[in-house]
Each structure stands twice: as C-alpha cells, then as structure tokens.
mmCIF file of all heavy atoms in Angstrom:
data_model
loop_
_atom_site.group_PDB
_atom_site.id
_atom_site.type_symbol
_atom_site.label_atom_id
_atom_site.label_comp_id
_atom_site.label_asym_id
_atom_site.label_seq_id
_atom_site.Cartn_x
_atom_site.Cartn_y
_atom_site.Cartn_z
ATOM 1 N N THR A 1 7.177 2.126 -2.611
ATOM 2 C CA THR A 1 8.229 3.130 -2.566
ATOM 3 C C THR A 1 7.878 4.340 -1.710
ATOM 4 O O THR A 1 8.773 5.030 -1.235
ATOM 5 C CB THR A 1 8.570 3.605 -3.991
ATOM 6 O OG1 THR A 1 7.369 4.044 -4.654
ATOM 7 C CG2 THR A 1 9.171 2.463 -4.795
ATOM 8 N N LYS A 2 6.577 4.582 -1.484
ATOM 9 C CA LYS A 2 6.184 5.769 -0.741
ATOM 10 C C LYS A 2 5.220 5.485 0.400
ATOM 11 O O LYS A 2 4.812 6.409 1.110
ATOM 12 C CB LYS A 2 5.565 6.799 -1.694
ATOM 13 C CG LYS A 2 6.518 7.274 -2.782
ATOM 14 C CD LYS A 2 5.881 8.319 -3.678
ATOM 15 C CE LYS A 2 6.861 8.767 -4.775
ATOM 16 N NZ LYS A 2 6.261 9.791 -5.657
ATOM 17 N N GLY A 3 4.854 4.217 0.611
ATOM 18 C CA GLY A 3 3.910 3.871 1.656
ATOM 19 C C GLY A 3 4.556 3.511 2.967
ATOM 20 O O GLY A 3 5.786 3.530 3.104
ATOM 21 N N THR A 4 3.737 3.182 3.950
ATOM 22 C CA THR A 4 4.210 2.771 5.272
ATOM 23 C C THR A 4 3.523 1.477 5.675
ATOM 24 O O THR A 4 2.480 1.107 5.145
ATOM 25 C CB THR A 4 3.924 3.861 6.324
ATOM 26 O OG1 THR A 4 2.519 4.183 6.299
ATOM 27 C CG2 THR A 4 4.739 5.115 6.040
ATOM 28 N N GLU A 5 4.102 0.803 6.649
ATOM 29 C CA GLU A 5 3.614 -0.515 7.063
ATOM 30 C C GLU A 5 2.238 -0.427 7.713
ATOM 31 O O GLU A 5 1.989 0.460 8.535
ATOM 32 C CB GLU A 5 4.626 -1.124 8.035
ATOM 33 C CG GLU A 5 4.392 -2.572 8.368
ATOM 34 C CD GLU A 5 5.530 -3.126 9.206
ATOM 35 O OE1 GLU A 5 6.707 -3.012 8.779
ATOM 36 O OE2 GLU A 5 5.253 -3.656 10.301
ATOM 37 N N GLY A 6 1.357 -1.345 7.347
ATOM 38 C CA GLY A 6 0.027 -1.362 7.931
ATOM 39 C C GLY A 6 -0.749 -2.573 7.447
ATOM 40 O O GLY A 6 -0.207 -3.465 6.803
ATOM 41 N N VAL A 7 -2.034 -2.605 7.756
ATOM 42 C CA VAL A 7 -2.902 -3.718 7.394
ATOM 43 C C VAL A 7 -4.046 -3.204 6.532
ATOM 44 O O VAL A 7 -4.709 -2.219 6.876
ATOM 45 C CB VAL A 7 -3.466 -4.420 8.656
ATOM 46 C CG1 VAL A 7 -4.504 -5.472 8.256
ATOM 47 C CG2 VAL A 7 -2.337 -5.055 9.455
ATOM 48 N N LEU A 8 -4.260 -3.874 5.402
ATOM 49 C CA LEU A 8 -5.363 -3.541 4.513
ATOM 50 C C LEU A 8 -5.905 -4.830 3.919
ATOM 51 O O LEU A 8 -5.140 -5.688 3.479
ATOM 52 C CB LEU A 8 -4.903 -2.597 3.383
ATOM 53 C CG LEU A 8 -5.967 -2.214 2.343
ATOM 54 C CD1 LEU A 8 -7.087 -1.416 2.975
ATOM 55 C CD2 LEU A 8 -5.330 -1.433 1.184
ATOM 56 N N HIS A 9 -7.224 -4.964 3.904
ATOM 57 C CA HIS A 9 -7.898 -6.121 3.309
ATOM 58 C C HIS A 9 -7.310 -7.440 3.788
ATOM 59 O O HIS A 9 -7.087 -8.369 3.013
ATOM 60 C CB HIS A 9 -7.859 -6.011 1.781
ATOM 61 C CG HIS A 9 -8.652 -4.864 1.253
ATOM 62 N ND1 HIS A 9 -8.247 -4.095 0.169
ATOM 63 C CD2 HIS A 9 -9.828 -4.306 1.662
ATOM 64 C CE1 HIS A 9 -9.138 -3.150 -0.056
ATOM 65 N NE2 HIS A 9 -10.105 -3.255 0.862
ATOM 66 N N GLY A 10 -7.029 -7.497 5.084
ATOM 67 C CA GLY A 10 -6.688 -8.771 5.706
ATOM 68 C C GLY A 10 -5.244 -9.185 5.684
ATOM 69 O O GLY A 10 -4.907 -10.299 6.063
ATOM 70 N N ALA A 11 -4.337 -8.309 5.249
ATOM 71 C CA ALA A 11 -2.916 -8.660 5.202
ATOM 72 C C ALA A 11 -2.046 -7.481 5.616
ATOM 73 O O ALA A 11 -2.398 -6.315 5.381
ATOM 74 C CB ALA A 11 -2.519 -9.126 3.804
ATOM 75 N N LYS A 12 -0.923 -7.805 6.214
ATOM 76 C CA LYS A 12 0.068 -6.792 6.581
ATOM 77 C C LYS A 12 0.956 -6.508 5.374
ATOM 78 O O LYS A 12 1.536 -7.417 4.785
ATOM 79 C CB LYS A 12 0.909 -7.283 7.751
ATOM 80 C CG LYS A 12 1.912 -6.274 8.286
ATOM 81 C CD LYS A 12 2.677 -6.881 9.464
ATOM 82 C CE LYS A 12 3.715 -5.926 10.011
ATOM 83 N NZ LYS A 12 4.493 -6.546 11.118
ATOM 84 N N SER A 13 1.054 -5.223 5.024
ATOM 85 C CA SER A 13 1.803 -4.867 3.826
ATOM 86 C C SER A 13 2.285 -3.432 3.957
ATOM 87 O O SER A 13 2.473 -2.949 5.077
ATOM 88 C CB SER A 13 0.917 -5.043 2.580
ATOM 89 O OG SER A 13 1.635 -4.816 1.404
ATOM 90 N N ARG A 14 2.504 -2.751 2.836
ATOM 91 C CA ARG A 14 2.741 -1.315 2.841
ATOM 92 C C ARG A 14 1.566 -0.627 2.187
ATOM 93 O O ARG A 14 1.075 -1.080 1.164
ATOM 94 C CB ARG A 14 4.040 -0.956 2.109
ATOM 95 C CG ARG A 14 5.274 -1.157 2.955
ATOM 96 C CD ARG A 14 6.479 -0.442 2.410
ATOM 97 N NE ARG A 14 7.690 -0.954 3.041
ATOM 98 C CZ ARG A 14 8.826 -1.145 2.415
ATOM 99 N NH1 ARG A 14 8.932 -0.865 1.134
ATOM 100 N NH2 ARG A 14 9.876 -1.608 3.056
ATOM 101 N N LEU A 15 1.162 0.485 2.787
ATOM 102 C CA LEU A 15 -0.065 1.156 2.367
ATOM 103 C C LEU A 15 0.164 2.647 2.212
ATOM 104 O O LEU A 15 1.109 3.215 2.771
ATOM 105 C CB LEU A 15 -1.165 0.966 3.420
ATOM 106 C CG LEU A 15 -1.281 -0.377 4.129
ATOM 107 C CD1 LEU A 15 -2.323 -0.273 5.224
ATOM 108 C CD2 LEU A 15 -1.632 -1.446 3.123
ATOM 109 N N LEU A 16 -0.760 3.276 1.505
ATOM 110 C CA LEU A 16 -0.834 4.724 1.483
ATOM 111 C C LEU A 16 -1.792 5.131 2.588
ATOM 112 O O LEU A 16 -3.004 4.918 2.468
ATOM 113 C CB LEU A 16 -1.327 5.201 0.114
ATOM 114 C CG LEU A 16 -0.508 4.737 -1.086
ATOM 115 C CD1 LEU A 16 -1.114 5.274 -2.382
ATOM 116 C CD2 LEU A 16 0.952 5.150 -0.952
ATOM 117 N N GLN A 17 -1.259 5.681 3.678
ATOM 118 C CA GLN A 17 -2.090 5.981 4.850
ATOM 119 C C GLN A 17 -1.562 7.217 5.563
ATOM 120 O O GLN A 17 -0.403 7.599 5.427
ATOM 121 C CB GLN A 17 -2.090 4.793 5.809
ATOM 122 C CG GLN A 17 -0.723 4.383 6.303
ATOM 123 C CD GLN A 17 -0.754 3.124 7.164
ATOM 124 O OE1 GLN A 17 -1.771 2.738 7.699
ATOM 125 N NE2 GLN A 17 0.400 2.465 7.295
ATOM 126 N N THR A 18 -2.459 7.821 6.326
ATOM 127 C CA THR A 18 -2.086 8.971 7.131
ATOM 128 C C THR A 18 -1.309 8.482 8.358
ATOM 129 O O THR A 18 -1.297 7.281 8.661
ATOM 130 C CB THR A 18 -3.338 9.723 7.602
ATOM 131 O OG1 THR A 18 -4.102 8.845 8.439
ATOM 132 C CG2 THR A 18 -4.182 10.153 6.409
ATOM 133 N N PRO A 19 -0.663 9.388 9.122
ATOM 134 C CA PRO A 19 0.068 8.957 10.319
ATOM 135 C C PRO A 19 -0.788 8.231 11.346
ATOM 136 O O PRO A 19 -0.282 7.406 12.110
ATOM 137 C CB PRO A 19 0.616 10.285 10.880
ATOM 138 C CG PRO A 19 0.781 11.156 9.676
ATOM 139 C CD PRO A 19 -0.382 10.809 8.791
ATOM 140 N N ASP A 20 -2.112 8.496 11.343
ATOM 141 C CA ASP A 20 -2.968 7.805 12.302
ATOM 142 C C ASP A 20 -3.682 6.601 11.681
ATOM 143 O O ASP A 20 -4.650 6.075 12.234
ATOM 144 C CB ASP A 20 -3.984 8.762 12.926
ATOM 145 C CG ASP A 20 -4.881 9.434 11.892
ATOM 146 O OD1 ASP A 20 -4.634 9.238 10.670
ATOM 147 O OD2 ASP A 20 -5.822 10.149 12.296
ATOM 148 N N GLY A 21 -3.212 6.163 10.493
ATOM 149 C CA GLY A 21 -3.694 4.904 9.929
ATOM 150 C C GLY A 21 -4.898 4.974 9.033
ATOM 151 O O GLY A 21 -5.455 3.919 8.674
ATOM 152 N N GLN A 22 -5.328 6.167 8.632
ATOM 153 C CA GLN A 22 -6.459 6.269 7.705
ATOM 154 C C GLN A 22 -5.967 6.094 6.265
ATOM 155 O O GLN A 22 -4.961 6.695 5.874
ATOM 156 C CB GLN A 22 -7.145 7.629 7.858
ATOM 157 C CG GLN A 22 -7.733 7.863 9.240
ATOM 158 C CD GLN A 22 -8.785 6.825 9.592
ATOM 159 O OE1 GLN A 22 -9.734 6.601 8.854
ATOM 160 N NE2 GLN A 22 -8.620 6.199 10.749
ATOM 161 N N ILE A 23 -6.664 5.246 5.504
ATOM 162 C CA ILE A 23 -6.241 4.986 4.130
ATOM 163 C C ILE A 23 -6.416 6.237 3.286
ATOM 164 O O ILE A 23 -7.474 6.877 3.287
ATOM 165 C CB ILE A 23 -7.036 3.822 3.514
ATOM 166 C CG1 ILE A 23 -6.850 2.559 4.347
ATOM 167 C CG2 ILE A 23 -6.607 3.579 2.067
ATOM 168 C CD1 ILE A 23 -5.417 2.101 4.474
ATOM 169 N N MET A 24 -5.359 6.582 2.556
ATOM 170 C CA MET A 24 -5.378 7.778 1.715
ATOM 171 C C MET A 24 -5.900 7.447 0.322
ATOM 172 O O MET A 24 -5.807 6.314 -0.137
ATOM 173 C CB MET A 24 -3.967 8.366 1.610
ATOM 174 C CG MET A 24 -3.395 8.864 2.925
ATOM 175 S SD MET A 24 -1.661 9.375 2.758
ATOM 176 C CE MET A 24 -1.822 10.712 1.574
ATOM 177 N N PRO A 25 -6.455 8.431 -0.382
ATOM 178 C CA PRO A 25 -6.861 8.200 -1.772
ATOM 179 C C PRO A 25 -5.639 7.868 -2.622
ATOM 180 O O PRO A 25 -4.545 8.390 -2.413
ATOM 181 C CB PRO A 25 -7.477 9.552 -2.194
ATOM 182 C CG PRO A 25 -7.809 10.250 -0.922
ATOM 183 C CD PRO A 25 -6.783 9.796 0.080
ATOM 184 N N SER A 26 -5.838 6.987 -3.584
ATOM 185 C CA SER A 26 -4.774 6.672 -4.530
ATOM 186 C C SER A 26 -5.167 7.194 -5.907
ATOM 187 O O SER A 26 -6.333 7.520 -6.161
ATOM 188 C CB SER A 26 -4.547 5.149 -4.600
ATOM 189 O OG SER A 26 -5.740 4.481 -4.949
ATOM 190 N N HIS A 27 -4.195 7.267 -6.809
ATOM 191 C CA HIS A 27 -4.479 7.727 -8.163
ATOM 192 C C HIS A 27 -3.485 7.127 -9.136
ATOM 193 O O HIS A 27 -2.286 7.025 -8.852
ATOM 194 C CB HIS A 27 -4.411 9.244 -8.290
ATOM 195 C CG HIS A 27 -4.301 9.672 -9.736
ATOM 196 N ND1 HIS A 27 -5.379 9.681 -10.598
ATOM 197 C CD2 HIS A 27 -3.218 10.033 -10.484
ATOM 198 C CE1 HIS A 27 -4.975 10.064 -11.796
ATOM 199 N NE2 HIS A 27 -3.666 10.280 -11.749
ATOM 200 N N SER A 28 -3.982 6.767 -10.307
ATOM 201 C CA SER A 28 -3.148 6.477 -11.465
ATOM 202 C C SER A 28 -4.011 6.665 -12.694
ATOM 203 O O SER A 28 -5.217 6.427 -12.672
ATOM 204 C CB SER A 28 -2.610 5.050 -11.439
ATOM 205 O OG SER A 28 -1.949 4.735 -12.656
ATOM 206 N N VAL A 29 -3.390 7.109 -13.784
ATOM 207 C CA VAL A 29 -4.104 7.168 -15.047
ATOM 208 C C VAL A 29 -4.512 5.768 -15.498
ATOM 209 O O VAL A 29 -5.454 5.616 -16.271
ATOM 210 C CB VAL A 29 -3.216 7.850 -16.128
ATOM 211 C CG1 VAL A 29 -2.055 6.959 -16.549
ATOM 212 C CG2 VAL A 29 -4.049 8.262 -17.338
ATOM 213 N N ALA A 30 -3.849 4.745 -14.961
ATOM 214 C CA ALA A 30 -4.176 3.346 -15.249
ATOM 215 C C ALA A 30 -5.094 2.821 -14.140
ATOM 216 O O ALA A 30 -4.651 2.664 -12.993
ATOM 217 C CB ALA A 30 -2.908 2.508 -15.324
ATOM 218 N N PRO A 31 -6.349 2.536 -14.426
ATOM 219 C CA PRO A 31 -7.282 2.124 -13.370
ATOM 220 C C PRO A 31 -6.837 0.894 -12.599
ATOM 221 O O PRO A 31 -7.097 0.775 -11.407
ATOM 222 C CB PRO A 31 -8.588 1.861 -14.136
ATOM 223 C CG PRO A 31 -8.493 2.709 -15.352
ATOM 224 C CD PRO A 31 -7.046 2.714 -15.724
ATOM 225 N N GLY A 32 -6.156 -0.039 -13.255
ATOM 226 C CA GLY A 32 -5.731 -1.259 -12.581
ATOM 227 C C GLY A 32 -4.606 -1.064 -11.586
ATOM 228 O O GLY A 32 -4.298 -1.975 -10.803
ATOM 229 N N LEU A 33 -3.953 0.090 -11.590
ATOM 230 C CA LEU A 33 -2.910 0.405 -10.611
ATOM 231 C C LEU A 33 -3.421 1.290 -9.493
ATOM 232 O O LEU A 33 -2.671 1.599 -8.554
ATOM 233 C CB LEU A 33 -1.717 1.070 -11.305
ATOM 234 C CG LEU A 33 -1.049 0.305 -12.430
ATOM 235 C CD1 LEU A 33 0.167 1.067 -12.953
ATOM 236 C CD2 LEU A 33 -0.645 -1.098 -11.990
ATOM 237 N N ASP A 34 -4.663 1.690 -9.567
ATOM 238 C CA ASP A 34 -5.246 2.655 -8.631
ATOM 239 C C ASP A 34 -5.692 1.937 -7.364
ATOM 240 O O ASP A 34 -6.883 1.701 -7.143
ATOM 241 C CB ASP A 34 -6.418 3.355 -9.322
ATOM 242 C CG ASP A 34 -6.875 4.605 -8.582
ATOM 243 O OD1 ASP A 34 -6.413 4.803 -7.447
ATOM 244 O OD2 ASP A 34 -7.683 5.356 -9.145
ATOM 245 N N TYR A 35 -4.723 1.596 -6.516
ATOM 246 C CA TYR A 35 -4.988 0.826 -5.303
ATOM 247 C C TYR A 35 -3.987 1.257 -4.235
ATOM 248 O O TYR A 35 -2.793 1.421 -4.537
ATOM 249 C CB TYR A 35 -4.828 -0.674 -5.610
ATOM 250 C CG TYR A 35 -5.116 -1.596 -4.447
ATOM 251 C CD1 TYR A 35 -6.389 -1.726 -3.929
ATOM 252 C CD2 TYR A 35 -4.091 -2.374 -3.885
ATOM 253 C CE1 TYR A 35 -6.655 -2.600 -2.877
ATOM 254 C CE2 TYR A 35 -4.343 -3.247 -2.845
ATOM 255 C CZ TYR A 35 -5.621 -3.358 -2.333
ATOM 256 O OH TYR A 35 -5.874 -4.216 -1.295
ATOM 257 N N PRO A 36 -4.422 1.486 -2.990
ATOM 258 C CA PRO A 36 -3.522 2.048 -1.969
ATOM 259 C C PRO A 36 -2.674 1.027 -1.222
ATOM 260 O O PRO A 36 -2.080 1.358 -0.203
ATOM 261 C CB PRO A 36 -4.517 2.738 -1.020
ATOM 262 C CG PRO A 36 -5.726 1.877 -1.086
ATOM 263 C CD PRO A 36 -5.819 1.420 -2.519
ATOM 264 N N GLY A 37 -2.619 -0.199 -1.700
ATOM 265 C CA GLY A 37 -1.801 -1.235 -1.068
ATOM 266 C C GLY A 37 -1.095 -2.061 -2.123
ATOM 267 O O GLY A 37 -1.101 -1.732 -3.312
ATOM 268 N N VAL A 38 -0.491 -3.171 -1.692
ATOM 269 C CA VAL A 38 0.263 -4.031 -2.616
ATOM 270 C C VAL A 38 0.383 -5.407 -1.973
ATOM 271 O O VAL A 38 0.273 -5.558 -0.752
ATOM 272 C CB VAL A 38 1.657 -3.427 -2.889
ATOM 273 C CG1 VAL A 38 2.529 -3.434 -1.639
ATOM 274 C CG2 VAL A 38 2.354 -4.132 -4.041
ATOM 275 N N GLY A 39 0.591 -6.423 -2.782
ATOM 276 C CA GLY A 39 0.753 -7.774 -2.282
ATOM 277 C C GLY A 39 1.921 -7.901 -1.308
ATOM 278 O O GLY A 39 2.991 -7.334 -1.549
ATOM 279 N N PRO A 40 1.749 -8.642 -0.207
ATOM 280 C CA PRO A 40 2.802 -8.724 0.808
ATOM 281 C C PRO A 40 4.096 -9.357 0.315
ATOM 282 O O PRO A 40 5.166 -9.005 0.804
ATOM 283 C CB PRO A 40 2.149 -9.575 1.914
ATOM 284 C CG PRO A 40 1.050 -10.332 1.226
ATOM 285 C CD PRO A 40 0.540 -9.407 0.160
ATOM 286 N N GLU A 41 4.027 -10.261 -0.647
ATOM 287 C CA GLU A 41 5.266 -10.863 -1.126
ATOM 288 C C GLU A 41 6.150 -9.842 -1.838
ATOM 289 O O GLU A 41 7.382 -9.922 -1.771
ATOM 290 C CB GLU A 41 4.979 -12.052 -2.054
ATOM 291 C CG GLU A 41 6.232 -12.849 -2.400
ATOM 292 C CD GLU A 41 5.960 -14.167 -3.060
ATOM 293 O OE1 GLU A 41 4.782 -14.463 -3.384
ATOM 294 O OE2 GLU A 41 6.922 -14.942 -3.255
ATOM 295 N N HIS A 42 5.550 -8.862 -2.475
ATOM 296 C CA HIS A 42 6.332 -7.808 -3.119
ATOM 297 C C HIS A 42 7.113 -6.997 -2.079
ATOM 298 O O HIS A 42 8.284 -6.651 -2.288
ATOM 299 C CB HIS A 42 5.434 -6.885 -3.927
ATOM 300 C CG HIS A 42 5.039 -7.442 -5.258
ATOM 301 N ND1 HIS A 42 5.943 -7.663 -6.276
ATOM 302 C CD2 HIS A 42 3.839 -7.842 -5.729
ATOM 303 C CE1 HIS A 42 5.317 -8.150 -7.329
ATOM 304 N NE2 HIS A 42 4.038 -8.283 -7.026
ATOM 305 N N VAL A 43 6.456 -6.685 -0.965
ATOM 306 C CA VAL A 43 7.149 -5.933 0.068
ATOM 307 C C VAL A 43 8.321 -6.742 0.622
ATOM 308 O O VAL A 43 9.412 -6.208 0.877
ATOM 309 C CB VAL A 43 6.191 -5.527 1.209
ATOM 310 C CG1 VAL A 43 6.890 -4.602 2.199
ATOM 311 C CG2 VAL A 43 4.945 -4.850 0.653
ATOM 312 N N HIS A 44 8.113 -8.042 0.784
ATOM 313 C CA HIS A 44 9.196 -8.915 1.233
ATOM 314 C C HIS A 44 10.345 -8.935 0.230
ATOM 315 O O HIS A 44 11.530 -8.883 0.615
ATOM 316 C CB HIS A 44 8.680 -10.332 1.456
ATOM 317 C CG HIS A 44 9.746 -11.328 1.730
ATOM 318 N ND1 HIS A 44 10.592 -11.242 2.826
ATOM 319 C CD2 HIS A 44 10.133 -12.452 1.046
ATOM 320 C CE1 HIS A 44 11.448 -12.259 2.808
ATOM 321 N NE2 HIS A 44 11.188 -12.996 1.735
ATOM 322 N N LEU A 45 10.027 -8.987 -1.067
ATOM 323 C CA LEU A 45 11.092 -9.004 -2.083
ATOM 324 C C LEU A 45 11.874 -7.696 -2.058
ATOM 325 O O LEU A 45 13.087 -7.681 -2.289
ATOM 326 C CB LEU A 45 10.495 -9.238 -3.472
ATOM 327 C CG LEU A 45 9.905 -10.629 -3.732
ATOM 328 C CD1 LEU A 45 9.294 -10.695 -5.125
ATOM 329 C CD2 LEU A 45 10.958 -11.713 -3.554
ATOM 330 N N GLU A 46 11.175 -6.601 -1.771
ATOM 331 C CA GLU A 46 11.874 -5.315 -1.690
ATOM 332 C C GLU A 46 12.749 -5.236 -0.444
ATOM 333 O O GLU A 46 13.913 -4.827 -0.507
ATOM 334 C CB GLU A 46 10.841 -4.174 -1.695
ATOM 335 C CG GLU A 46 11.440 -2.796 -1.932
ATOM 336 C CD GLU A 46 11.897 -2.112 -0.651
ATOM 337 O OE1 GLU A 46 11.437 -2.514 0.439
ATOM 338 O OE2 GLU A 46 12.714 -1.173 -0.747
ATOM 339 N N THR A 47 12.218 -5.628 0.712
ATOM 340 C CA THR A 47 12.990 -5.530 1.947
ATOM 341 C C THR A 47 14.159 -6.505 1.973
ATOM 342 O O THR A 47 15.187 -6.231 2.576
ATOM 343 C CB THR A 47 12.094 -5.773 3.181
ATOM 344 O OG1 THR A 47 11.443 -7.047 3.054
ATOM 345 C CG2 THR A 47 11.024 -4.702 3.293
#
C-alpha cells in the first residue's frame, strides 16, 4: 500500500525504498511482519 516497484531478495515486487533504491527500515510491533518487501503474487493480486 505504501511501497514502490523494485527488486529485493531475487524477485521484482513492491518495496519500502528511497527514491534512489536504498532499502528503508521497516517496523511492526509484530516481528513476523517486519519486512520491507512482499511476495510478488500479492502485488499481482492487488494490481
């Protein structure tokens, strides 16, 4: 919902990144959600 298109850990997806492509820190009170990317199929389902 707030990321931009890019490549992380070998796949093209949406990421939390700066305008020049540097991965930004992520945060969640839930450790299992604390990741700056997401599975590519989810992005496809959204688009």
Side-chain angles (χ1 to χ4, degrees):
T1 54
K2 299 181 180 180
T4 55
E5 190 173 306
V7 173
L8 177 64
H9 294 142
K12 184 179 179 182
S13 185
R14 279 197 196 142
L15 322 173
L16 303 180
Q17 58 185 340
T18 63
D20 58 354
Q22 298 300 307
I23 301 301
M24 296 174 62
S26 57
H27 163 77
S28 173
V29 71
L33 302 184
D34 194 349
Y35 182 67
V38 67
E41 189 167 7
H42 281 294
V43 187
H44 172 61
L45 291 178
E46 193 272 341
T47 56

